[in-house]
Amino acid sequence: MATYDLVVIGTGPGGYVCAVRASQLGMKVAVVEKNATLGGTCLNVGCMPSKALLHASEMFEEAAHSFAKMGVNVSAPKLELPAMMNFKQQGIDGNVKGVEFLMKKNKVDVLKGTGKILGTGKVEVSADGKSQVIETRNIVIATGSDIARLKGIEIDEKRIVSSTGALSLDKVPGKLLIVGAGVIGLELGSVWKRLGAEVVVVEFLDRILPGMDGEIAKQFQRILEKQGFAFKLGAKVTAVDTSGKTLKATIEPAAGGAAETLEADVVLVCIGRVPYTDGLGLKEAGVALDPRGRVQIDPHFATSLKGVYAIGDVVAGPMLAHKAEDEGVAVAEIIAGQAGHVNYDVIPGVVYTSPEVSSVGKTEEELKQAGVAYTVGKFPFTANGRSKVNQTTDGFVKILADAKTDRVLGVHIIGREAGEMIHEACVLMEFGGSAEDLARTCHAHPTRSEAVKEAALAVGKRAIHM
């Protein structure tokens, strides 16, 4: 029997970061991973491969439509999908090897197999019909999440696919039907739209990007429609007939009414994700779950079973890799007797489309619902010098500040590189900064980030360039 200070089950962003931090703090650490490679969904079939395809497809689109107007004349680009998939795989391999290196560097033992909690201080690791019991002072559950499934619609990862299958299609579908207008659906829809697919998105709600600021979502929908996306909002897919050469999807209004049939070559189901707790033995071990199947934790990430903690997608909160990472660091520090903490009011979210959408803090809808008096400052990229000369003027920056104190409560950006620009807002909000603080901070010219400063100036109705 091996004895550890900490065993982490799962090596996604939450798990491997937790292991590294715990090792830095002097603990003897092991990680348990059931898959062949480390890195979890994010590195293998999620965030990272999707960003590779988003970047490659964006370059394809730019070469076809944007180069000529800049005086760069190239022949019409030809898609070599296998080569693009190889580009994606190179990125995956590089990141996975990076995590393996981090485990070795930090002297973290990697135990390959499925982890099961037998009780306080005991983890069973099973692989290839054999199992061993590992003794440990502490256990962290970092098993992440799995795709949510639609009742009655079977995912085969060939014609009816999840996000995993949508990252590895062997040809561009003529017609792609996407079920769900959240982040994942819109990102993957963008990839295949640029490469030549006709894209229709069906969403149960009457809007895209649930949870994002409403004004941003409306503007983004208009931009996507201009790019060729078609949306059927307030609708649901109730069945998919797979018997013919093409798929036939039955679509009904969410509020009830006459059904219609849409044909598609591929149906992508991305209606969200669910906590992954299969095979962990949580019920038998006495680890409580909430009504949505998430592991219940206290403010210090502790579960109902002594010495067992949980982080990331398997617990409540936004299912984001960086949220899991911060929780991984915090729980390692708590186990080491330090004051680990995550500020859930300052966790950014990004949609990596073109243009990007980013957000941190409260939306207008949330502030209205909470009865908080606020002021708004907005600045469009059409009035930003760098955006104008680069002809990337879609979108705007929106800052929400407390009407009494001027403290920044939320920042929302739609535009080129919005995912990079959001972080000055995160830093400002982490330190309780005001719109005035942001407005008086010198920004380099010409940059897109000047639009953030101008939006902060606009909170006080004194924007300079509009």
Side-chain angles (χ1 to χ4, degrees):
M1 271 195 186
T3 304
Y4 292 93
D5 296 307
L6 173 64
V7 169
V8 182
I9 305 175
T11 64
Y16 85 73
V17 167
C18 177
V20 169
R21 184 69 187 117
S23 176
Q24 288 175 346
L25 291 164
M27 293 184 223
K28 187 183 178 188
V29 185
V31 292
V32 180
E33 178 53 63
K34 65 181 173 59
N35 293 321
T37 54
L38 307 183
T41 295
C42 177
L43 270 68
N44 291 278
V45 290
C47 332
M48 293 306 188
S50 66
K51 300 314 160 281
L53 291 184
L54 281 158
H55 174 65
S57 63
E58 202 173 319
M59 294 300 100
F60 180 78
E61 171 100 348
E62 294 249 320
H65 301 291
S66 300
F67 282 10
K69 67 184 180 186
M70 294 186 282
V72 181
N73 288 309
V74 294
S75 53
K78 182 172 170 283
L79 176 65
E80 288 184 22
L81 192 56
M84 190 177 282
M85 290 298 170
N86 184 49
F87 169 76
K88 175 200 75 173
Q89 192 58 46
Q90 285 173 356
I92 294 171
D93 293 344
N95 280 315
V96 166
K97 285 186 180 118
V99 176
E100 287 171 3
F101 166 75
L102 287 173
M103 296 299 97
K104 282 178 189 157
K105 181 190 169 192
N106 290 282
K107 298 181 175 58
V108 174
D109 290 345
V110 177
L111 309 174
K112 286 294 178 79
T114 303
K116 182 179 181 182
I117 297 169
L118 300 180
T120 296
K122 283 188 170 55
V123 177
E124 182 184 69
V125 181
S126 305
D128 303 324
K130 297 174 185 171
S131 64
Q132 60 174 322
V133 176
I134 310 298
E135 284 198 344
T136 176
R137 290 184 180 83
N138 302 282
I139 301 166
V140 169
I141 301 166
T143 46
S145 59
D146 194 7
I147 54 167
R149 287 163 171 81
L150 260 179
K151 199 177 175 185
I153 297 173
E154 192 177 332
I155 292 170
D156 60 16
E157 298 297 14
K158 290 182 175 64
R159 294 206 293 167
I160 301 177
V161 299
S162 70
S163 54
T164 302
L167 288 165
S168 300
L169 297 178
D170 57 7
K171 64 179 180 183
V172 178
K175 291 184 177 177
L176 173 63
L177 175 65
I178 299 174
V179 187
V183 175
I184 297 168
L186 298 181
E187 286 186 357
L188 292 172
S190 290
V191 168
W192 295 108
K193 177 75 194 70
R194 288 179 204 137
L195 300 181
E198 192 180 306
V199 176
V200 178
V201 182
V202 178
E203 169 57 51
F204 187 80
L205 300 175
D206 60 358
R207 54 162 291 174
I208 70 169
L209 291 180
M212 279 267 186
D213 187 88
E215 185 183 13
I216 291 276
K218 274 182 194 157
Q219 170 90 336
F220 187 45
Q221 186 182 332
R222 284 195 288 269
I223 290 169
L224 290 176
E225 284 169 341
K226 209 163 68 178
Q227 292 177 3
F229 274 68
F231 290 95
K232 289 186 175 293
L233 303 179
K236 59 184 177 180
V237 175
T238 54
V240 179
D241 180 355
T242 60
S243 61
K245 195 178 175 186
T246 58
L247 301 169
K248 290 183 173 62
T250 305
I251 296 165
E252 296 176 13
E260 63 172 314
T261 303
L262 275 188
E263 287 196 12
D265 299 293
V266 173
V267 171
L268 165 56
V269 178
C270 41
I271 54 169
R273 297 183 66 83
V274 292
Y276 188 88
T277 56
D278 290 1
L280 277 170
L282 300 185
K283 191 178 176 185
E284 301 86 341
V287 176
L289 304 180
D290 73 11
R292 290 172 64 178
R294 301 173 297 197
V295 178
Q296 275 190 325
I297 53 171
D298 70 10
H300 300 289
F301 309 101
T303 70
S304 55
L305 181 61
K306 186 174 169 55
V308 178
Y309 304 81
I311 59 167
D313 286 7
V314 83
V315 302
M319 288 184 169
L320 296 167
H322 44 282
K323 175 256 197 187
E325 288 186 20
D326 275 15
E327 289 180 335
V329 169
V331 76
E333 291 174 348
I334 287 167
I335 290 168
Q338 298 183 4
H341 172 70
V342 178
N343 181 0
Y344 291 101
D345 289 330
V346 186
I347 294 180
V350 183
V351 189
Y352 296 91
T353 44
S354 183
E356 291 181 346
V357 182
S358 63
S359 173
V360 63
K362 303 297 185 189
T363 64
E364 275 206 71
E365 291 77 12
E366 286 171 334
L367 292 176
K368 280 174 185 165
Q369 195 176 3
V372 176
Y374 64 94
T375 47
V376 184
K378 285 189 281 195
F379 192 82
F381 286 106
T382 49
N384 171 261
R386 176 74 181 275
S387 299
K388 273 201 276 203
V389 297
N390 289 4
Q391 294 188 20
T392 52
T393 54
D394 278 337
F396 61 97
V397 179
K398 176 178 182 178
I399 294 176
L400 307 171
D402 189 288
K404 294 190 188 77
T405 66
D406 195 41
R407 182 174 177 161
V408 173
L409 304 173
V411 177
H412 310 276
I413 308 173
I414 177 167
R416 180 67 70 97
E417 296 174 351
E420 301 295 339
M421 282 193 283
I422 198 67
H423 295 110
E424 68 168 311
C426 296
V427 173
L428 179 94
M429 290 170 66
E430 192 64 46
F431 286 91
S434 66
E436 179 76 7
D437 291 327
L438 198 48
R440 291 198 178 275
T441 300
C442 188
H443 285 60
H445 174 78
T447 58
R448 293 183 182 91
S449 294
E450 286 177 287
V452 178
K453 174 177 178 166
E454 290 274 4
L457 284 164
V459 170
K461 296 185 171 49
R462 60 182 208 274
I464 301 294
H465 289 93
M466 63 173 285

